[in-house]
Amino acid sequence: MANPAGPPPTGGGNGEQRRLKLLAVTACPTGIAHTYMAAEKLAQAAERRGIDMKVETQGSIGAENVLSDNDVRTADGIIVAADKDVDLSRFAGKRVLKVGVAEGIHHPERLIEQVRSAPVHEAASEAVSPTAAGGRERSVTYKALMNGVSYMIPFVVVGGLLIAVSLSLGGHTDPSGGLVIPKGSFWMDLNNIGVIGFTLMVPILSGYIAYAIADRPALVPGMIGGWIANTGSLYDSKAGAGFIGAIVTGFLAGYLVLWIKKVRVPKFVQPIMPIIVIPIVATTVLGTFFIYVIGKPISWVFEHLTSWLSGMTGASAVLLGAILGLMIAFDMGGPVNKTAFLFGAGLIATGNQTVMGMCAAAIPVMPLGQGVATLIRKRLYTEQERETGLASLFMGCFGISEGAIPFAAARPAQVIPANMLGGAVAGAVAGIAGVKDAVPHGGPIVAVLGAVSGVPMFFVAAVIGTVVTALTTVTLIDIAERRRRGAPVVGVGVEDAEPVLIPVGAGVSSGSGEHGLAAARVERGSAPFSSGSGGAGCSAEVDPAGAGGDVLSGYLTERTVKVRLDAREKAAAIREMAGLLARSGEVADLDELVRTALRREEQGTTGLGEEIAIPHAKTDAVTAPVVGFARSDEGVEWGSMDGTKARLVFMIAVPEAAAGDEHLRILTLLSRKLMDAGFRERLTAAGDERAVLGVLSEIR
């Protein structure tokens, strides 16, 4: 283990005391501006005190200025100012102070003082240093759930799409019942690969929830626990517990490992604790607990639900259809869903195909409804969630209800009730219409292949259920966000969530990404930026005078600069800035641009402090990326984190199709440079538009 930290009395051979050396890591889950603001503030505070400091930034475009092993070895302390999980294992034996990213912006001097007496980070315990007073972090529960969802999504998408493709191109109805793919065919092999993806989906969710709570030692018990939860035969159930069971085992594994870590053991045992003892003990305890304690009630529920449904076969078709729809939509592959599905499938052999018809109409409602929701209210979802929504739509067409699981896992309180309401409506409508399904499968695919009688009403039921689910989902999410008043909506992922400038202390809701989602980006070759320093440099040469040069790759020109902003309040200022952008000729719908920017402000202020505001919008109201700048002599109240009025206002607008790297890189470039007090002074003192462009040409 490395030397416990604290300023050691080391220096040069001539008796000189060496300068104190500190390291820092800054990270923000939903955006990039605060990552770099905290880095700049910490570096400036260290320089004023004569302290050497290197800062690693973990922004939306990845880690930059990464700390090397040699950096860590010679460091006297590490400050971690982050609102997302940061791997602390590399800092074993060093003093580590962990705080929220806002603390790095507001109190860098205080953090530098506190790190000198921070506790030493122990590798065996993976303990997290106490948070400095006033620091705010996302809850462990939230970050753990989002971590699991982010790793699960690729398995859902790959598995679901491969199964859908194999069914659509290689499947057909069989007289003996079922939607079948010929054995030994290419399409069966493709289907089997997709099934593997779906099989791994649940243990991956469980494992990475546990990993986020207790680090690597929890990964094995989490994954094995998730596999057990999804394998009903291990505890005498006809269906596994599905993704809900995986969430349970993930949290159980994580907290069980945390508890085991606290047990004091002899020093000679400590090295093997994280790689042998903890995984074996936690896996054994969790596995047997699920099989003998949790699994039995699941099996009991499964059996009694089946018995209860059997007693309802003579009941009203509307009531039975609504109940089956509720069950199908509840856990999407779990015991409740499987009970309804197997009940309907079992009655096909008796000649009763109407029950399966109700189930078949409800099965596609969840993925279709969640996919439609991402299309009708885009602002509530990150780019990654919208991409997952498209995949969900495709899976829904082939009756793969699991396509909605990422949305349900990320926002269970809003998505599951919406799914159940839509499923109940679809099942009830199918029951009224007497829709029949001759094969144990659901979704539009069975109607297209001729397995459904009453095809028009089957589609009516599915469409109505889908619309109900979509509208209910966006309504519930919108209500939740309005209650939070400033909490930006994010997905199941961190790297590629929408670049949001978070106000200090604002929370982050569940969803798409500030928390670990790997998303598809715009190809870097299509972005007019070079990789530059840390991937954020601007490739265009800029005329120092601002004339004829490309500032921010030509997105900001003399036409989109105004040295005096007339507006006195935020909404008016945004409208004035939008009008400024319209001078570029790239604004197709001025009113929509204003509405989009104002909606973004409702999610959380874009006032950064230091008299800076950067309102931004991703909207097809603009035909190409465009940036504007204006100064306000009196300042505009923007709700900034430090209470200052905005005097330097930048506005960024990019079309949806080009909202990847451009948006992130523009924000990165601006937020870095604007932390330089000298740069702000020169920008404030610039006399006219050409002078302003000359100052802005310093951005590299």
Side-chain angles (χ1 to χ4, degrees):
M1 181 178 291
N3 245 353
T10 57
N14 59 1
E16 279 189 16
Q17 186 76 16
R18 77 166 175 86
R19 283 163 54 115
L20 188 68
K21 180 178 179 180
L22 299 178
L23 304 178
V25 179
T26 63
C28 177
T30 53
I32 56 175
H34 285 58
T35 299
Y36 295 105
M37 290 172 68
E40 292 287 344
K41 290 293 186 181
L42 286 166
Q44 291 169 4
E47 185 177 359
R48 287 194 296 269
R49 291 170 172 258
I51 296 172
D52 291 331
M53 175 176 281
K54 180 178 179 180
V55 185
E56 175 183 306
T57 55
Q58 296 186 8
S60 292
I61 58 175
E64 300 174 86
N65 202 32
V66 176
L67 305 178
S68 67
D69 291 341
N70 187 59
D71 291 329
V72 175
R73 183 178 59 81
T74 58
D76 299 313
I78 295 97
I79 299 169
V80 179
D83 287 337
K84 58 180 273 191
D85 286 323
V86 173
D87 182 11
L88 302 182
S89 60
R90 54 182 168 157
F91 303 139
K94 294 294 180 179
R95 297 193 186 278
V96 177
L97 179 68
K98 190 158 191 312
V99 299
V101 70
E103 284 295 291
I105 298 171
H106 282 298
H107 307 294
E109 291 87 357
R110 186 168 71 188
L111 298 184
I112 289 173
E113 288 299 323
Q114 290 177 337
V115 73
R116 303 187 192 199
S117 58
V120 175
H121 180 68
E122 300 290 346
S125 66
E126 294 296 335
V128 177
S129 304
T131 300
R136 297 191 183 185
E137 293 187 88
R138 295 298 299 165
S139 69
V140 173
T141 301
Y142 171 81
K143 291 193 286 188
L145 182 60
M146 288 300 98
N147 195 61
V149 171
S150 69
Y151 281 99
M152 175 188 70
I153 281 180
F155 290 87
V156 177
V157 173
V158 171
L161 293 184
L162 288 179
I163 291 173
V165 169
S166 64
L167 284 172
S168 64
L169 299 180
H172 60 82
T173 55
D174 190 88
S176 61
L179 192 64
V180 299
I181 301 173
K183 292 183 179 179
S185 68
F186 169 78
W187 301 115
M188 176 56 76
D189 293 336
L190 194 65
N191 182 270
N192 290 336
I193 295 172
V195 169
I196 292 172
F198 259 17
T199 304
L200 291 173
M201 168 187 72
V202 173
I204 288 292
L205 172 63
S206 177
Y208 280 97
I209 288 175
Y211 177 84
I213 295 172
D215 212 79
R216 278 186 283 269
L219 190 58
V220 170
M223 286 193 173
I224 294 178
W227 190 283
I228 292 172
N230 201 40
T231 309
S233 59
L234 294 174
Y235 43 91
D236 300 322
S237 175
K238 293 182 181 179
F243 84 95
I244 294 179
I247 292 174
V248 172
T249 56
F251 281 106
L252 286 176
Y255 286 110
L256 177 60
V257 169
L258 278 184
W259 179 79
I260 295 174
K261 285 180 176 182
K262 295 178 181 178
V263 177
R264 293 184 178 275
V265 296
K267 186 170 292 186
F268 71 89
V269 179
Q270 290 179 0
I272 64 172
M273 284 292 288
I275 59 174
I276 298 178
V277 177
I278 292 177
I280 290 177
V281 172
T283 301
T284 303
V285 171
L286 178 63
T288 54
F289 177 74
F290 201 95
I291 291 173
Y292 293 108
V293 180
I294 299 179
K296 295 299 180 182
I298 292 174
S299 178
W300 182 89
V301 168
F302 186 95
E303 293 172 1
H304 282 74
L305 279 174
T306 303
S307 176
W308 177 62
L309 286 173
S310 298
M312 291 190 63
T313 52
S316 165
V318 177
L319 178 60
L320 181 59
I323 292 173
L324 289 171
L326 286 170
M327 295 173 66
I328 288 289
F330 174 66
D331 53 2
M332 292 156 285
V336 177
N337 171 284
K338 280 295 189 291
T339 297
F341 178 81
L342 294 177
F343 176 67
L347 290 179
I348 293 175
T350 69
N352 183 349
Q353 300 177 359
T354 56
V355 174
M356 193 62 218
M358 302 172 192
C359 295
I363 284 171
V365 163
M366 298 81 72
L368 291 177
Q370 296 307 318
V372 170
T374 64
L375 295 177
I376 62 177
R377 292 296 294 277
K378 291 183 178 181
R379 74 174 183 84
L380 295 177
Y381 297 92
T382 65
E383 183 179 350
Q384 173 64 19
E385 284 184 310
R386 292 195 292 271
E387 291 170 358
T388 304
L390 293 176
S392 180
L393 285 171
F394 192 70
M395 283 185 262
C397 292
F398 295 90
I400 303 171
S401 60
E402 288 86 348
I405 286 179
F407 299 97
R411 294 184 175 103
Q414 290 81 36
V415 172
I416 292 178
N419 284 346
M420 293 175 68
L421 182 59
V425 170
V429 173
I432 293 173
V435 173
K436 296 181 180 181
D437 182 11
V439 301
H441 199 79
I445 183 66
V446 295
V448 172
L449 293 176
V452 170
S453 62
V455 172
M457 287 308 299
F458 170 83
F459 279 105
V460 168
V463 168
I464 293 176
T466 296
V467 171
V468 169
T469 291
L471 294 179
T472 305
T473 297
V474 297
T475 299
L476 292 177
I477 293 176
D478 198 37
I479 290 172
E481 293 311 312
R482 288 181 184 278
R483 285 177 179 172
R484 270 186 281 269
R485 299 294 299 177
V489 180
V490 300
V492 287
V494 231
E495 282 84 355
D496 294 299
E498 178 181 355
V500 177
L501 308 179
I502 311 172
V504 168
V508 196
S509 74
S510 61
S512 86
E514 207 55 62
H515 312 283
L517 290 181
R521 292 178 179 269
V522 174
E523 290 296 324
R524 293 191 182 276
S526 66
F529 291 85
S530 69
S531 58
S533 175
C538 180
S539 63
E541 293 296 328
V542 183
D543 177 11
D550 285 342
V551 178
L552 290 173
S553 289
Y555 297 155
L556 190 148
T557 66
E558 192 171 336
R559 287 178 296 173
T560 59
V561 171
K562 192 174 185 180
V563 294
R564 182 181 177 84
L565 188 67
D566 297 323
R568 296 293 183 268
E569 53 92 22
K570 182 161 67 171
I574 287 176
R575 174 165 286 279
E576 187 175 343
M577 292 298 298
L580 186 62
L581 297 188
R583 296 180 184 177
S584 67
E586 305 293 355
V587 177
D589 188 337
L590 180 62
D591 291 337
E592 178 58 26
L593 173 58
V594 173
R595 285 193 294 269
T596 303
L598 290 176
R599 284 196 298 266
R600 170 60 192 84
E601 292 296 328
E602 291 176 2
Q603 297 174 14
T605 181
T606 55
L608 303 186
E610 303 286 0
E611 300 184 335
I612 302 164
I614 310 181
H616 51 280
K618 294 198 299 183
T619 173
D620 289 330
V622 296
T623 56
V626 59
V627 180
F629 169 74
R631 290 196 312 242
S632 172
D633 293 338
E634 298 180 5
V636 178
E637 181 55 56
W638 218 279
S640 299
M641 58 183 69
D642 59 358
T644 60
K645 291 184 177 182
R647 298 180 185 276
L648 304 177
V649 182
F650 289 86
M651 186 168 184
I652 303 169
V654 296
E656 290 281 356
D661 285 352
E662 284 92 341
H663 206 179
L664 294 172
R665 292 177 185 277
I666 294 169
L667 282 169
T668 301
L669 291 166
L670 287 176
S671 59
R672 278 175 167 172
K673 192 62 178 177
L674 287 170
M675 288 304 98
D676 181 347
F679 177 80
R680 296 197 304 271
E681 290 174 2
R682 291 191 296 278
L683 195 56
T684 302
D688 57 20
E689 286 79 2
R690 292 173 62 84
V692 167
L693 287 175
V695 176
L696 291 174
S697 69
E698 299 176 19
I699 299 178
R700 300 291 182 183

